[in-house]
Amino acid sequence: MKLLRHGPKGQEKPGLLDAKGQVRDLSALLPDITPTTLSPAGLAALNSVDVNALPVVAQGTLAVPWSGMGKFLCIGLNYADHAAESNLPLPKEPILFMKPISAAVGCNHDVVLPQGSVKGDWEVELGVVIGSTARYVSEADALHHVAGYCVVNDVSEREYQIERGGTWDKGKGCDTFGPVGPWLVTADEVGEVQNLGMWLDVNGKRFQTGNTKTMIFNAAQIVSYVSRFMTLYPGDLISTGTPPGVGMGVKPNPVFLKAGDVMRLGIEKLGEQQQHVHAWNSALIDA
């Protein structure tokens, strides 16, 4: 299934995308797509529904595909060629950091650069969405705790991240710096998650081309690893790192985001996103 939420902010309605690309309304079955929906029992209940009996509705503005995200976790430098372009050694263990939930927005929401931003950057990433509580799980069992997968744009401000001291979080957690979606694709529909093509364009120019098969730590390893440091609950999101081609890595001169830029990105089987980049404007953040 491809689960989604759409409509005005604060009035989002649950839906799913059928085989013809039509949005089918789930409002009569559940008020929202929540962590409970993403549990094994919740997904099993939806799987039993006759999709063709659900009403077709016009798609509104796409929101984060589920509500109630508890944690927005991220893995850094998880592709060997991206580590190389960043002039950093390969990590011996996954590098873990967090975005605040306030960074998460819908897949086509405007990205708003923070005040004084000079080094905004892009990162297409595979998102792993937890469906059942995971605590000290083995790699062999880890993916049984995954509800599905999604596209994430791990937008970054490199000056804040690297040059301002402390942790990465302040360069990763700005408002609008975590577009998610367009939908959550359940694990059964994705199949082999470690062989998905991924790409990102800025203003129509291809910057990132990669595949999840080149991840240093795969999805199962990441879920198992993170579950050793904190309990993962349904609705938690782990963004798993980016392939090469980020703006910071462009040679000889890095390329950074500016107002008026358009990012377009996607992952095989998981859909596409598009964001327009704006200078600081608090009204766009709250839109």
Side-chain angles (χ1 to χ4, degrees):
M1 290 180 291
K2 293 183 174 72
L3 300 176
L4 59 90
R5 297 167 66 244
H6 66 118
K9 187 174 182 179
Q11 303 175 47
E12 295 90 348
K13 293 184 177 181
L16 61 79
L17 200 72
D18 69 15
K20 296 180 180 179
Q22 303 173 116
V23 175
R24 299 279 182 163
D25 186 38
L26 290 171
S27 298
L29 301 178
L30 66 166
D32 201 354
I33 296 171
T34 68
T36 300
T37 313
L38 305 181
S39 69
L43 292 180
L46 282 180
N47 266 320
S48 67
V49 171
D50 179 3
V51 172
N52 293 322
L54 297 172
V56 176
V57 294
Q59 177 183 293
T61 301
L62 289 168
V64 176
W66 69 100
S67 64
M69 184 190 300
K71 292 190 281 293
F72 193 159
L73 301 154
C74 300
I75 305 298
L77 295 175
N78 196 31
Y79 289 72
D81 30 15
H82 173 51
E85 74 174 354
S86 302
N87 296 314
L88 294 168
L90 296 184
K92 296 180 180 179
E93 297 186 34
I95 295 172
L96 178 64
F97 63 93
M98 301 180 75
K99 286 180 180 277
I101 303 306
S102 55
V105 292
C107 64
N108 299 328
H109 194 286
D110 294 323
V111 165
V112 181
L113 300 174
Q115 293 182 6
S117 173
V118 293
K119 294 184 178 180
D121 208 343
W122 55 82
E123 296 188 9
V124 58
E125 304 200 0
L126 169 73
V128 177
V129 186
I130 301 300
S132 62
T133 301
R135 183 183 294 122
Y136 292 105
V137 299
S138 68
E139 290 180 21
D141 190 49
L143 296 188
H144 295 143
H145 295 269
V146 172
Y149 304 93
C150 60
V151 182
V152 177
N153 188 355
D154 175 17
V155 184
S156 311
E157 214 300 337
R158 300 301 188 188
E159 182 188 33
Y160 295 7
Q161 176 191 358
I162 298 170
E163 302 172 35
R164 299 286 292 272
T167 66
W168 288 5
D169 297 47
K170 61 179 173 281
K172 295 284 193 171
C174 303
D175 294 326
T176 75
F177 270 26
V180 179
W183 35 75
L184 183 159
V185 185
T186 53
D188 61 314
E189 185 165 328
V190 175
E192 176 51 65
V193 72
Q194 297 303 155
N195 190 20
L196 301 178
M198 52 204 308
W199 55 273
L200 183 144
D201 296 345
V202 179
N203 301 330
K205 179 180 178 180
R206 181 64 46 91
F207 279 90
Q208 290 191 274
T209 302
N211 191 292
T212 57
K213 66 185 177 184
T214 65
M215 290 165 62
I216 299 170
F217 305 103
N218 64 31
Q221 290 172 316
I222 288 169
V223 172
S224 175
Y225 181 85
V226 175
S227 78
R228 299 174 183 275
F229 298 94
M230 63 194 76
T231 301
L232 297 171
Y233 293 104
D236 287 351
L237 171 64
I238 308 175
S239 196
T240 58
T242 198
V246 300
M248 178 178 65
V250 175
K251 304 292 190 299
N253 300 309
V255 176
F256 295 114
L257 293 170
K258 62 186 182 304
D261 286 344
V262 178
M263 293 180 284
R264 190 170 181 86
L265 58 147
I267 298 179
E268 184 181 355
K269 297 184 180 181
L270 303 183
E272 299 182 4
Q273 301 185 354
Q274 179 172 292
Q275 298 99 32
H276 291 260
V277 179
H278 293 265
W280 173 256
N281 184 332
S282 60
L284 291 175
I285 292 170
D286 298 327

